[in-house]
Amino acid sequence: MCIRDRFGTDSRFLYVDNPHYEARNNIYSLYLAFPHIGDAPFLLFNSDVLFHPAILEMALENGPDTFLIIDNTKELGEEEMKVIIEGDRIRDISKALDPSLSHGEYIGISKFSRKGGMVLRRHIEDLIRKEKYEEFYEAGIRLMLDEHPVMATYTGGLPWIEIDDHRDLEEAKEMARLWDL
């Protein structure tokens, strides 16, 4: 089901289309959204992730101003967006990180304070100026890590799934059926 079909097109929602989605990665989609975000704090969700609502509730209640939600309970492989964490501060993020040296997987949900969002925006805009369209937006996060603290907030072992194919979709449907919401 399309997000627009489910939530409609009323004024509560602004949809930003990336007409180049086949040739430019999610970094370009975020770049297109920044003029609408302005300098306001924002939540960033990867639209292919289904997660138990309590993950976001816990993060918003207890999380710092700028954070990434991390699953530090599952086994990591080559494909995951892995993170290196010192204390609770993210120090590196990339799919290319060695799984055996990584501390968890970024699940595609994050919050940026006004200042954190402005730092991220500057780095994303710089990558776009350099025509780094093949990058994920996490490349911009990686560039900001020494400049602005990005903290880890954890899933607490609650369920979530990234939906990449039909098998994942079926697993997500079953997962959602089991939740007592």
Side-chain angles (χ1 to χ4, degrees):
M1 176 184 328
C2 290
I3 294 173
R4 277 181 217 206
D5 292 343
R6 172 67 174 90
F7 294 103
T9 58
D10 68 44
S11 62
R12 294 179 301 155
F13 302 102
L14 173 70
Y15 298 96
V16 179
D17 291 315
N18 176 356
H20 305 290
Y21 72 92
E22 290 183 9
R24 298 179 181 182
N25 219 327
N26 67 7
I27 192 171
Y28 194 71
S29 298
L30 181 56
Y31 168 76
L32 293 174
F34 275 127
H36 305 285
I37 296 169
D39 64 357
F42 63 95
L43 294 170
L44 177 61
F45 296 85
N46 289 0
S47 63
D48 63 349
V49 174
L50 176 74
F51 58 93
H52 194 285
I55 292 174
L56 184 60
E57 290 169 11
M58 285 186 329
L60 291 175
E61 286 175 12
N62 304 317
D65 289 339
T66 299
F67 64 78
L68 307 182
I69 299 182
I70 305 300
D71 184 338
N72 62 345
T73 65
K74 68 182 271 195
E75 186 174 330
L76 299 172
E78 298 300 321
E79 180 59 25
E80 286 82 14
M81 186 61 70
K82 295 169 285 295
V83 293
I84 303 289
I85 302 168
E86 289 177 4
D88 279 329
R89 188 168 176 173
I90 309 283
R91 289 299 184 179
D92 203 358
I93 180 169
S94 175
K95 286 188 173 198
L97 294 174
D98 182 336
S100 67
L101 301 176
S102 300
H103 300 112
E105 177 180 0
Y106 168 53
I107 73 167
I109 304 170
S110 51
K111 178 185 169 203
F112 292 88
S113 66
R114 179 182 171 279
K115 182 177 179 189
M118 290 177 7
V119 172
L120 176 62
R121 180 179 182 164
R122 183 169 35 81
H123 287 292
I124 295 289
E125 288 174 345
D126 187 51
L127 288 165
I128 294 300
R129 270 192 301 280
K130 294 175 181 174
E131 298 184 359
K132 300 287 187 178
Y133 304 124
E134 75 286 353
E135 296 284 351
F136 294 105
Y137 69 77
E138 288 88 353
I141 294 172
R142 189 177 206 197
L143 291 170
M144 73 180 283
L145 293 175
D146 288 334
E147 188 177 344
H148 184 83
V150 179
M151 307 306 285
T153 299
Y154 300 95
T155 63
L158 288 166
W160 67 277
I161 186 170
E162 180 180 8
I163 304 168
D164 290 328
D165 55 35
H166 290 290
R167 192 188 77 215
D168 291 343
L169 179 59
E170 291 307 311
E171 187 177 337
K173 287 178 182 178
E174 183 59 28
M175 186 183 291
R177 277 197 270 296
L178 297 173
W179 296 344
D180 184 27
L181 303 177

